[in-house]
Amino acid sequence: MGSIIIIAPPAAGKGTQSKFISERYHIPHISTGDLLRNEINKKTNIGLEVSNIINKGALVSDHIILDILSQNIQNIDDYILDGFPRNIEQAKEYDKMINSMGKKIDKVFYIHLPKEQSKLRILSRLSCSNCGKVYNTAFDETKPKRINICDACGNNLEKRDDDLEEVFENRYQIYEEETKPLLDFYHNKNLLYTVDGSADKMSIFHIICSILEGEK
Ligand code: AMP
């Protein structure tokens, strides 16, 4: 296999699809956003350095991301990257890093979602501060059964600090300017597969599985 990369606008389902893939193929799900939020929760030096940046919707510096990432992929070859790379520089550095480790990229998925849908999902996204499960109150299939309570562990649900309307515009602009050029970068390497993010999550997952299993 090798690494699987998922590129998508905010709240298009990167985390959800990564989790499904991780469970189906028994490979680790590495979310750079989760790794950073973990540093913030543990109040480490990195956490203190990045919390304002994340809350503004900006990108954390490449060297911090590459450091954290390299620590998390040392002993594994097959894994899903959720939220990395976010710009061309990170993609180039990642190529160098995995080449030196003898690893390769398997496939890159682009989950396409129009801006208005991305915004709607951001504004209605909630997550559990205890187990990390993510909900979306805009859709019946992703609503919690009880208002603001996690179905899985019963904890209160919270809004992410960067899932606010004023932060969204900044996050989306950065996505357009810095992350979207990755589509050409990976298309030119024959690694890119585009899926429609407005379909329901299980249909998207089935399409991803058929591509991973070489049926498409
Ligand atoms: P995410 O959970 O992927 O939406 O990421 C949340 C925030 O973490 C982003 O808006 C960035 O501030 C930061 N972040 C996550 N991954 C990266 C990355 N690869 N490069 C730079 N910043 C990142």
Side-chain angles (χ1 to χ4, degrees):
M1 216 177 199
S3 44
I4 298 167
I5 290 175
I6 304 198
I7 298 172
K14 290 193 298 288
T16 303
Q17 296 300 327
S18 300
K19 200 161 168 295
F20 287 163
I21 298 168
S22 163
E23 284 164 5
R24 164 97 169 233
Y25 298 101
H26 309 289
I27 55 175
H29 165 198
I30 301 172
S31 154
T32 43
D34 283 351
L35 292 172
L36 294 169
R37 283 184 285 277
N38 197 26
E39 297 287 331
I40 294 173
N41 290 340
K42 288 195 303 194
K43 298 192 166 52
T44 62
N45 286 340
I46 289 182
L48 295 173
E49 193 176 333
V50 303
S51 75
N52 276 340
I53 300 172
I54 294 183
N55 290 348
K56 279 192 297 201
L59 290 185
V60 169
S61 70
D62 294 344
H63 80 269
I64 292 184
I65 295 290
L66 289 158
D67 259 16
I68 293 190
L69 182 69
S70 71
Q71 288 163 27
N72 279 272
I73 60 168
Q74 284 300 332
N75 300 314
I76 45 173
D77 292 333
D78 305 336
Y79 47 88
I80 305 147
L81 289 175
D82 159 5
F84 178 93
R86 282 295 229 276
N87 58 31
I88 297 279
E89 197 49 39
Q90 290 182 7
K92 289 184 176 164
E93 287 302 316
Y94 182 64
D95 276 350
K96 284 190 213 156
M97 190 192 296
I98 59 172
N99 280 340
S100 73
M101 294 172 164
K103 307 181 206 266
K104 66 177 187 64
I105 297 173
D106 179 16
K107 292 186 172 65
V108 179
F109 291 97
Y110 167 43
I111 306 179
H112 171 260
L113 193 72
K115 180 176 177 186
E116 281 316 305
Q117 287 193 43
S118 167
K119 184 170 180 175
L120 172 74
R121 291 187 190 190
I122 282 277
L123 299 182
S124 49
R125 176 159 73 178
L126 291 173
S127 57
C128 176
S129 54
N130 181 44
C131 72
K133 193 168 161 51
V134 180
Y135 296 86
N136 202 303
T137 56
F139 310 98
D140 284 341
E141 60 162 10
T142 51
K143 263 185 192 161
K145 292 193 179 73
R146 285 181 293 160
I147 294 173
N148 272 343
I149 303 287
C150 178
D151 295 350
C153 74
N155 229 69
N156 284 339
L157 299 179
E158 290 176 356
K159 206 163 176 50
R160 260 169 58 170
D161 291 340
D162 56 344
D163 279 352
L164 303 173
E165 189 159 3
E166 55 277 24
V167 183
F168 172 79
E169 288 300 332
N170 197 26
R171 283 171 76 187
Y172 199 86
Q173 190 181 348
I174 290 173
Y175 165 72
E176 288 271 345
E177 289 172 4
E178 301 213 27
T179 308
K180 261 189 147 179
L182 290 170
L183 302 179
D184 275 346
F185 181 84
Y186 287 121
H187 174 74
N188 292 337
K189 290 176 181 281
N190 268 334
L191 290 169
L192 190 72
Y193 295 81
T194 300
V195 293
D196 175 9
S198 55
D200 70 274
K201 59 184 179 180
M202 290 319 292
S203 311
I204 298 173
F205 179 53
H206 288 135
I207 291 170
I208 290 178
C209 291
S210 60
I211 294 170
L212 285 174
E213 290 165 24
E215 292 162 16
K216 287 209 171 178

